[in-house]
Amino acid sequence: MKNFSNKWTRAAIPALLLHCSIGTVYCWSLFSKPIADTFTQAGLDASALGWAFSLAIFFLGMSAAFLGNFVEKDIHKASLIATICFAVGVVGTGLAVRLHSMPLILICYGVIMGFGLGLGYLSPVKTLMLWFKDNKGLATGLAVAGFGAAKMVFSPVIEGLTSSIGAEFTLYVLGAIWFAMMFVGHLLLKKPEGWSEPHTPFDVKEFFARFKIMLEPKFIGIWLVFYINITCGLALISHEKDIYMAVGLGGIAALLCTITGFFNAAGRLGYSAIGDKMKDRNTIYKVILLSEIVFTAVALVTGAITNEIAFICIALLIVVNLGYGGGFSNLPTLLSDVYGMGKISSIHGIALSAWAIAGLTGNQIADLIVAKTGNYQDILIFTLVMYAIAIAVNFLLIRPNKQTVETIEPATAETNSVNE
């Protein structure tokens, strides 16, 4: 009973506390308009505001890519730094709103908070796979489901607070709440007693040698599929509230964001659990991509025949959030199947650089499309083409793995035992 309890108190619960806090980055569309309004009322330009979200995702991915080895060696310190950076970034954004400082918003929400996002995202993943070694996909799906569920939980809270006390004080209040949640998660998070990481001195050559993995065809395929899935998702998710308002659904935007948050979390948990049952975990990516292609095509046809509301319901509620979430939850387990558990945090971090690049391109491409055409349905045409490219890459480059690649990890790490 004690060991069963430890799985939850030392891995699952802290992972949910950490991810359910940092996952609120996807609530940006609920913050952006109130913040923009404060700038407009002060006679200031708020056109650069969209870059706050882009920078947050960029620094999430890049901090994960370059600090994966640091997380590997000390998840406790990494989760504490993540907690501090994320809370400081949120509260600092509130201060920037008061000062009407766009550069400070970009630094606090984009850089500082983004740095906390990357460390906070990576910290619990390997720990979960160690505790739940027989159901790695389900375990990581549970954690990243918290990342997706954050939008479902906090969207109505953010909507209610911003309408009553304004964006600035909402950021102060939520910054304190999220700090408390993450700090408790940080205190609880712990790897199993039977697992120990090899502690070697920092070596610059060895550090950069890890990035050679980016030249491997299979890793390139995984990276590209992951990048495309995120880019297509962000193209719509980052503009979610704007789309609702454009078709007259602004009054129930918080409810719709809650529903999309549910599907995001459901995709993370459901697809990862299904992946555990498959001989080749990459098969789940084929399922995700084919579903996205089919439903995106249906959304385009339905939107053209009837109205834009049908397009929004199908695209946002089903395609984007289910597939987007499922892509995230299956990434670490697919990488562990290919490269083993020894350096999974480092390899996972490098793969998350795709998230960083997608953060700079996804919503910016959507901005450009809407600016040029004035039609949100044109975003779906773009995503349909991208999904088609992703499925081609998947079939051509990501072949079933014959055996774990031994050169990526030290042999001693894989032999460590985990007490269940």
Side-chain angles (χ1 to χ4, degrees), residues 57-356:
I57 300 301
F58 175 77
F59 278 95
L60 184 165
M62 297 312 292
S63 62
F66 284 95
L67 294 173
N69 192 47
F70 167 69
V71 175
E72 193 87 45
K73 292 181 178 179
D74 197 335
I75 58 165
H76 203 60
K77 185 180 292 183
S79 60
L80 177 60
I81 294 173
T83 299
I84 294 170
C85 288
F86 187 79
V88 169
V90 173
V91 173
T93 303
L95 178 62
V97 173
R98 169 170 283 275
L99 299 175
H100 297 109
S101 172
M102 185 61 68
L104 189 58
I105 288 179
L106 299 180
I107 291 171
C108 289
Y109 197 93
V111 180
I112 298 175
M113 199 183 88
F115 187 79
L117 280 166
L119 290 179
Y121 189 89
L122 274 185
S123 294
V125 172
K126 180 172 181 176
T127 305
L128 279 161
M129 287 194 286
L130 291 174
W131 278 109
F132 295 81
K133 61 180 182 179
D134 295 326
N135 299 100
K136 293 186 294 184
L138 179 62
T140 55
L142 180 66
V144 296
F147 199 94
K151 191 170 102 175
M152 177 177 66
V153 173
F154 283 101
S155 286
V157 176
I158 293 170
E159 192 82 351
L161 287 174
T162 53
S163 63
S164 59
I165 62 175
E168 177 195 346
F169 289 101
T170 296
L171 288 163
Y172 295 152
V173 171
L174 291 178
I177 292 172
W178 293 332
F179 175 83
M181 290 172 59
M182 293 182 71
F183 190 71
V184 172
H186 148 73
L187 292 176
L188 292 174
L189 189 66
K190 186 179 180 181
K191 290 180 181 177
E193 294 295 337
W195 181 274
S196 61
E197 298 292 346
H199 291 281
T200 55
F202 177 77
D203 185 286
V204 175
K205 290 183 179 178
E206 191 272 338
F207 173 79
F208 285 103
R210 286 196 177 93
F211 289 90
K212 289 182 180 178
I213 195 174
M214 298 189 76
L215 301 177
E216 295 183 11
K218 183 175 288 188
F219 186 86
I220 291 172
I222 293 172
W223 194 98
L224 284 173
V225 169
F226 188 54
Y227 164 76
I228 291 173
N229 197 46
I230 300 170
T231 297
C232 294
L234 290 179
L236 285 170
I237 291 173
S238 63
H239 294 271
E240 188 172 351
K241 187 176 179 181
D242 295 335
I243 296 173
Y244 294 145
M245 294 183 70
V247 296
L249 296 175
I252 57 171
L255 173 62
L256 292 172
C257 285
T258 298
I259 295 172
T260 57
F262 168 79
F263 280 104
N264 196 314
R268 293 166 190 257
L269 191 57
Y271 277 128
S272 59
I274 295 170
D276 278 337
K277 307 298 181 183
M278 294 182 170
K279 184 177 180 181
D280 176 20
R281 195 177 297 273
N282 184 48
T283 302
I284 200 66
Y285 276 95
K286 293 183 174 69
V287 173
I288 290 171
L289 291 169
L290 288 172
S291 298
E292 288 170 331
I293 289 171
V294 170
F295 280 104
T296 302
V298 169
L300 281 167
V301 173
T302 305
I305 295 174
T306 57
N307 53 56
E308 289 186 324
I309 294 178
F311 142 72
I312 291 169
C313 291
I314 295 174
L316 283 181
L317 298 184
I318 300 175
V319 182
V320 176
N321 285 279
L322 281 174
Y324 184 84
F328 274 101
S329 62
N330 280 280
L331 178 66
T333 44
L334 174 60
L335 291 170
S336 71
D337 286 352
V338 175
Y339 299 108
M341 285 291 293
K343 290 291 181 182
I344 188 60
S345 293
S346 179
I347 297 169
H348 186 204
I350 294 171
L352 289 178
S353 63
W355 199 357

